[in-house]
Amino acid sequence: MNLSPLQIARYEYSPKLPGMLRNGVSEISVKVGEPTQSVADQDKIKALFPNTYGKEEIKFEKGTNTAAPKKQVVGVILSGGQAPGGHNVVCGLYDALKATNPENVLLGFKGGPSGLLEDDFIEMTDEYINQYRNTGGFDIIGSGRTKLETVPQFEIATEVCKKHGVTAIVIIGGDDSNTNAAVLAEYMAANNTGVQVIGCPKTIDGDLKNEDIEISFGFDTATKTYSELIGNIERDCNSAKKYWHFIKVMGRSASHVALECALETQANICLIGEEVAAKKQSLADITKQIADAVEARGNNGENFGVAIIPEGIVEFVPEFGKLIAEINELLAGEKTAEFNALPSWEAKYAFIEAGLTKESMAVFAMLPTGIQQQLFLERDPHGNVQVSLIESEKLFAELVKNELAARKEAGTYKGKCGFLTHFFGYEGRCAFPSNFDADYCYSLGYNAFMLISYGYTGYLSKVSNLSAPAEEWVAGGMPITKMMNIERRNGEDKPVIRKALVELDGAPFKFFEANRDKWAVETCFLYPGAIQYYGPASVCDITTKTLKLEQEAK
Ligand code: FBP
């Protein structure tokens, strides 16, 4: 295998564990805390999870390990989008499992949850696992988006577990995957299968967090990677002084990634979807906000800038949501075939004009032709518009360009600049994990095994106090049901982990809000540079500004 010098060096890195996990597995004791309640809808959640609801919070301490000795066969699954550090969760789990008993076995189910259903796995060995230590990606076993949520699936999973003597499953995933981990844990407990289920909080989107989970893994590395690139672009445009760059960053729905990148780079503009929704901003409002900054800077001779656009932005624009709903309705059932049979875009446009309300047609007419066509041509198997495919960075670049042309005509805008667009998403999901993510993930995996050996099920591996040095981190576990409430999903009431959107009264947004007017007009760029793996802790081990601001506000 060809290895880069960094990869060779990273094999040697020893991830830092929380202090209470550092003395070896025989010196880890458990401290049982208070019983828990779900964050809302307690009666309903309790009724749905009679075997796993209300359990106590767990913390680990230095002390004699009192877990009952038992041979463990653990199955691990990576679920959903890649996030830097996933390999280290598996490595931490493996190391704790083997340190406890060399006869213990770790099976990696391949390709996500479907690996469990298809009985497709690899048995982890030292030789295999050592190739993946401190590396990015999920290629150790692959990932997938199959949802483990139905009773027939649980029955198959039980059979597979029985066949291989699996005693516990660790699901590494986001809010949906961990919701399903809780449902699976309840099923396994209710049916006396003897299989425990533990979750680990993953997603670069940063939307799996709450009073117990301070950050999902991968957010740190992904945002640092995007911020490096955004900082480089800031420096380029500050050198050439002729372009505005519109940069879309990943984050399916919540705007945490965009906000963190804005805090790291002090870009001129950053849109926050949650604010757009709260203020019911229209496309015209957003366009005006950006165009005002371009105009003010251009009139000062600063014909360059950077605007950060969160991936999920259009879903938060109320009039856009209405337009999408009308388009879905317009093409429902057989009408798709009728629409597709029309001979030209002109004929299709007339069909659309006849079918949309006046308000939605006005929004549609504002859109660049490429985006208009995208809305009608690229739809999912149910015929719905795929909002995530909308190139919002191009949409806003085009709308702002048109607005500035009008302002130029009117004589208010005196500048001149070009517009370039970028999308940063996949670039950050498999980067070598930062020291923070390497340490955090290894700790989550190690800790997950300690929860298993002490017999817990339906828990999320929890490592907290994360803005302090790793020595002071606190390891333990929290019942997943504590994080759940009832939400309407596909027309049904479902128990789910609440997705964390950007809080407009939270410290990170407040800091951004207090500074953004200055950042918009002046050039206050920060250049974070590349992630550093070796050097002073003040450079290499710091985590995100979001986490720091949140912790300081506590
Ligand atoms: P998870 O929620 O599974 O962690 O995935 C998040 C994400 O990376 C989003 O940021 C992005 O919208 C999406 O996955 C892309 O999905 P895919 O990898 O299927 O293209």
Side-chain angles (χ1 to χ4, degrees):
M1 203 203 303
N2 283 332
L3 298 175
S4 70
L6 183 64
Q7 189 162 341
I8 295 166
R10 291 309 278 169
Y11 284 164
E12 301 303 319
Y13 178 76
S14 296
K16 299 186 270 302
L17 282 169
M20 69 278 285
L21 302 183
R22 285 187 186 180
N23 289 6
V25 285
S26 61
E27 285 299 310
I28 300 172
S29 70
V30 70
K31 183 167 183 234
V32 179
E34 294 297 313
T36 56
Q37 298 252 19
S38 60
V39 283
D41 307 309
Q42 288 85 7
D43 291 344
K44 287 183 184 166
I45 306 280
K46 189 175 177 184
L48 290 164
F49 295 88
N51 296 282
T52 49
Y53 185 84
K55 303 285 182 211
E56 299 86 5
E57 175 174 10
I58 296 306
K59 278 192 188 139
F60 292 114
E61 295 182 328
K62 280 181 195 164
T64 309
N65 188 329
T66 55
K70 167 183 171 186
K71 181 181 169 189
Q72 301 279 3
V73 178
V74 178
V76 63
I77 297 170
L78 288 162
S79 179
Q82 284 70 251
H87 286 168
N88 269 25
V89 181
V90 180
C91 294
L93 179 61
Y94 179 83
D95 288 353
L97 167 147
K98 289 289 182 190
T100 302
N101 178 356
E103 300 294 307
N104 285 344
V105 174
L106 181 62
L107 306 179
F109 286 101
K110 289 183 177 167
S114 61
L116 176 61
L117 303 178
E118 290 158 11
D119 194 9
D120 185 11
F121 64 87
I122 177 172
E123 183 176 332
M124 299 287 171
T125 59
D126 287 354
E127 197 189 4
Y128 187 73
I129 210 144
N130 287 344
Q131 303 170 68
Y132 294 95
R133 291 186 186 273
N134 306 304
T135 57
F138 277 8
D139 43 315
I140 188 168
I141 43 175
S143 186
R145 291 197 182 276
T146 301
K147 292 191 188 311
L148 274 184
E149 54 187 350
T150 66
V151 170
Q153 287 177 322
F154 295 163
E155 286 166 357
I156 298 172
T158 307
E159 279 312 303
V160 173
C161 289
K162 220 188 253 172
K163 184 168 157 197
H164 304 293
V166 170
T167 51
I169 296 175
V170 174
I171 297 181
I172 303 169
D175 54 333
D176 276 349
S177 304
N178 279 299
T179 291
N180 295 335
V183 180
L184 181 62
E186 177 62 30
Y187 175 90
M188 293 293 189
N191 291 281
N192 294 318
T193 61
V195 179
Q196 297 160 241
V197 183
I198 299 293
C200 287
K202 171 233 72 166
T203 178
I204 63 155
D205 291 2
D207 56 8
L208 172 49
K209 67 174 168 182
N210 47 51
E211 58 178 14
D212 296 305
I213 303 304
E214 294 176 5
I215 190 172
S216 55
F217 80 75
F219 180 75
D220 185 85
T221 310
T223 54
K224 283 189 166 97
T225 305
Y226 306 142
S227 298
E228 180 207 348
L229 299 175
I230 295 169
N232 294 350
I233 286 179
E234 286 179 334
R235 202 137 212 178
D236 190 283
C237 74
N238 195 6
S239 307
K241 302 198 191 295
K242 60 177 180 178
Y243 293 125
W244 262 81
H245 294 262
F246 283 56
I247 304 172
K248 178 168 80 174
V249 290
M250 250 189 194
R252 189 189 302 277
S253 181
S255 302
H256 298 291
V257 173
L259 178 57
E260 172 62 21
C261 292
L263 297 173
E264 290 286 348
T265 63
Q266 299 187 178
N268 304 99
I269 295 286
C270 176
L271 304 179
I272 301 296
E274 292 81 345
E275 184 183 27
V276 166
K279 295 187 174 164
K280 298 194 172 38
Q281 287 180 309
S282 63
L283 290 181
D285 294 334
I286 302 170
T287 304
K288 180 178 177 309
Q289 180 196 339
I290 307 175
D292 285 350
V294 180
E295 180 183 303
R297 289 176 61 76
N299 291 351
N300 286 339
E302 307 269 78
N303 286 299
F304 61 93
V306 169
I308 301 175
I309 320 278
E311 183 182 8
I313 188 76
V314 289
E315 285 181 60
F316 287 97
V317 180
E319 61 181 9
F320 208 89
K322 185 166 180 288
L323 170 66
I324 302 286
E326 285 188 25
I327 293 175
N328 287 339
E329 193 57 35
L330 190 60
L331 296 181
E334 289 171 5
K335 284 186 269 172
T336 298
E338 190 188 327
F339 176 81
N340 289 344
L342 293 169
S344 63
W345 175 243
E346 286 69 31
K348 288 178 171 152
Y349 197 93
F351 176 96
I352 296 163
E353 201 160 18
L356 294 181
T357 59
K358 223 169 116 210
E359 304 80 62
S360 288
M361 190 57 210
V363 177
F364 186 72
M366 267 182 82
L367 305 176
T369 311
I371 305 258
Q372 288 178 337
Q373 294 181 339
Q374 208 177 20
L375 289 179
F376 278 85
L377 300 180
E378 293 177 29
R379 277 168 297 115
D380 72 11
H382 308 287
N384 294 325
V385 173
Q386 288 184 271
V387 182
S388 64
L389 294 184
I390 295 169
E391 295 175 304
S392 43
E393 71 286 20
K394 293 195 178 146
L395 167 66
F396 285 110
E398 192 72 21
L399 292 177
V400 169
K401 197 163 136 191
N402 295 343
E403 171 69 18
L404 288 165
R407 292 185 186 193
K408 189 130 217 172
E409 239 351 74
T412 54
Y413 172 53
K414 313 213 183 319
K416 182 175 183 296
C417 65
F419 292 90
L420 297 176
T421 58
H422 315 260
F423 171 36
F424 297 150
Y426 300 96
E427 294 82 347
R429 296 201 312 182
C430 285
F432 278 96
S434 61
N435 286 353
F436 173 83
D437 269 329
D439 299 346
Y440 180 41
C441 290
Y442 188 82
S443 303
L444 285 171
Y446 202 97
N447 189 54
F449 185 74
M450 296 324 298
L451 289 167
I452 292 168
S453 67
Y454 273 103
Y456 292 102
T457 189
Y459 276 67
L460 203 58
S461 177
K462 172 178 168 178
V463 178
S464 53
N465 199 29
L466 295 169
S467 54
E471 166 76 36
E472 293 163 38
W473 291 358
V474 179
M478 187 56 76
I480 303 177
T481 50
K482 173 168 182 239
M483 301 164 202
M484 295 176 107
N485 66 167
I486 300 285
E487 287 178 21
R488 205 83 190 141
R489 296 277 169 96
N490 299 328
E492 276 181 68
D493 280 349
K494 291 263 184 196
V496 293
I497 297 178
R498 202 182 265 172
K499 201 182 258 311
L501 297 178
V502 170
E503 286 177 11
L504 300 182
D505 55 0
F509 181 79
K510 284 281 168 210
F511 183 85
F512 166 70
E513 193 181 34
N515 288 285
R516 67 175 158 190
D517 290 347
K518 183 175 157 74
W519 297 352
V521 178
E522 296 173 25
T523 300
C524 305
F525 298 156
L526 276 182
Y527 310 120
I531 296 174
Q532 300 296 308
Y533 300 93
Y534 301 98
S538 60
V539 178
C540 301
D541 291 353
I542 39 165
T543 181
T544 62
K545 299 219 162 157
T546 303
L547 184 62
K548 186 166 179 279
L549 289 164
E550 282 170 348
Q551 298 286 301
E552 281 169 1
K554 272 189 181 168

